[in-house]
């Protein structure tokens, strides 16, 4: 897996966490359980730093997808896109495709072969 | 959630009864490495980064010697719970500043909502409010005794 793809996956994990903290119901539930969620700004700084390391065009694609999907980048499993479960064409699994991120033609999510 | 349901999330292979690390990051690293050895995660780095970020949001060491590291990641396929115990204690930057002896790690896949792990968290936090249970968790050294704590044998 390329470094930029790894960065994007880490960014997605972080975005999911930030989204949870910003969600009032979730953060209230966590606070009621005793957790102190005081470091949102630290997460946002980490997010900015991580995003700046991702190539701009790739970041734009990801961010557009992330507006619609919680999971915008994900691995291929059993020759299917795990986002929309559509079966992927065999061309998806050619040797060149194993390095580059690909797009699911059905849902548009970014896919990689693990 | 009933105790029997709660215990069903635990597995003997995912218990560390003698955690070696004494510091926060090394403890998380040791725990994540254990998950990798048990083939429960696809990538140690992603999980560790996520857990570190979660700690930066606010320590999951809630005090009374118990911590609940948790979060969602693409590197985990299904809801996973790990128990770890340290007799010596870990400096986990807990809210009360005291060493942490008991860890419940909860990981959920990124495509599932937070409710998947919040329910378990809530049950576990309820459990440790009972002094006898907390004491037993601190002393447990094998899986049968851990199961016993959930089944109420230590009351
Ligand atoms: Zn798709």
């Amino acid at each position: 897996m390329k470094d930029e793809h790894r960065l994007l996956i880490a960014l997605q994990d972080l975005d999911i966490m930030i989204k949870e903290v910003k969600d009032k119901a979730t953060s209230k539930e966590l606070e009621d359980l005793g957790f102190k969620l005081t470091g949102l700004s630290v997460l946002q700084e980490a997010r900015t730093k991580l995003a700046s390391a991702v190539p701009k065009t790739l970041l734009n694609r990801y961010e557009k997808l992330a507006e619609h999907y919680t999971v915008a980048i994900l691995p291929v499993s059993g020759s299917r896109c795990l986002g929309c479960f559509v079966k992927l064409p065999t061309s998806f699994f050619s040797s060149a495709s194993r390095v580059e991120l690909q797009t699911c033609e059905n849902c548009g999510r970014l896919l990689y072969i693990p | 959630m009933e105790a029997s349901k709660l215990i069903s999330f635990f597995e003997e292979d995912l218990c560390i009864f003698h955690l070696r690390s004494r510091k926060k990051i090394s403890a998380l690293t040791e725990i994540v490495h254990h998950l990798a050895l048990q083939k429960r995660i696809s990538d140690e780095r992603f999980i560790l980064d996520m857990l570190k970020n979660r700690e930066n949001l606010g320590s999951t060491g809630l005090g009374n010697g118990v911590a609940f590291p948790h979060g969602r990641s693409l590197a985990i396929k299904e809801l996973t719970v790990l128990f770890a115990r340290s007799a010596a204690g870990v400096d986990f930057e807990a809210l009360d500043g005291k060493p942490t002896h008991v860890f419940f790690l909860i990981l959920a896949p990124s495509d599932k909502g937070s409710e998947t792990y919040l329910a378990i968290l809530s049950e576990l936090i309820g459990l440790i409010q009972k002094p006898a249970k907390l004491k037993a968790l601190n002393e447990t050294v094998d899986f049968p005794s851990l199961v016993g704590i959930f089944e109420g044998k230590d009351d």
Side-chain angles (χ1 to χ4, degrees), chain A residues 81 84 86 104 107:
Chain A
C81 163
C84 67
V86 85
C104 171
C107 69

Side-chain angles (χ1 to χ4, degrees), chain A residues 1 5-7 9-10 12-14 16-17 20-21 26 29-30 33-40 42-43 46 70-71 73-75 77 82 112, chain B residues 43 45-47 49-51 53-54 56-62 68 70-75 77 95 110-111 113-114 117-119 121-122 125:
Chain A
M1 201 191 300
H5 304 159
R6 294 187 63 86
L7 289 170
I9 293 167
Q12 174 170 276
D13 278 356
L14 187 51
I16 288 173
M17 191 181 295
E20 272 191 19
V21 190
T26 306
E29 208 165 328
L30 284 167
L33 289 172
F35 293 99
K36 304 262 180 287
L37 309 174
T38 50
L40 180 59
V42 183
L43 295 194
T70 305
V71 179
I73 175 171
L74 73 170
S77 174
L82 290 182
Y112 63 90
Chain B
D43 191 297
R45 194 73 242 166
F46 291 135
I47 300 288
D49 283 351
M50 183 276 287
L51 291 172
N53 282 326
R54 178 61 190 83
N56 287 336
L57 174 63
S59 180
T60 62
L62 291 189
F68 301 87
H70 63 266
R72 290 153 67 192
S73 172
L74 193 67
K77 280 217 169 63
L95 299 181
S110 39
D111 60 346
S114 55
Y117 70 79
L118 278 171
L121 259 182
S122 170
I125 290 169

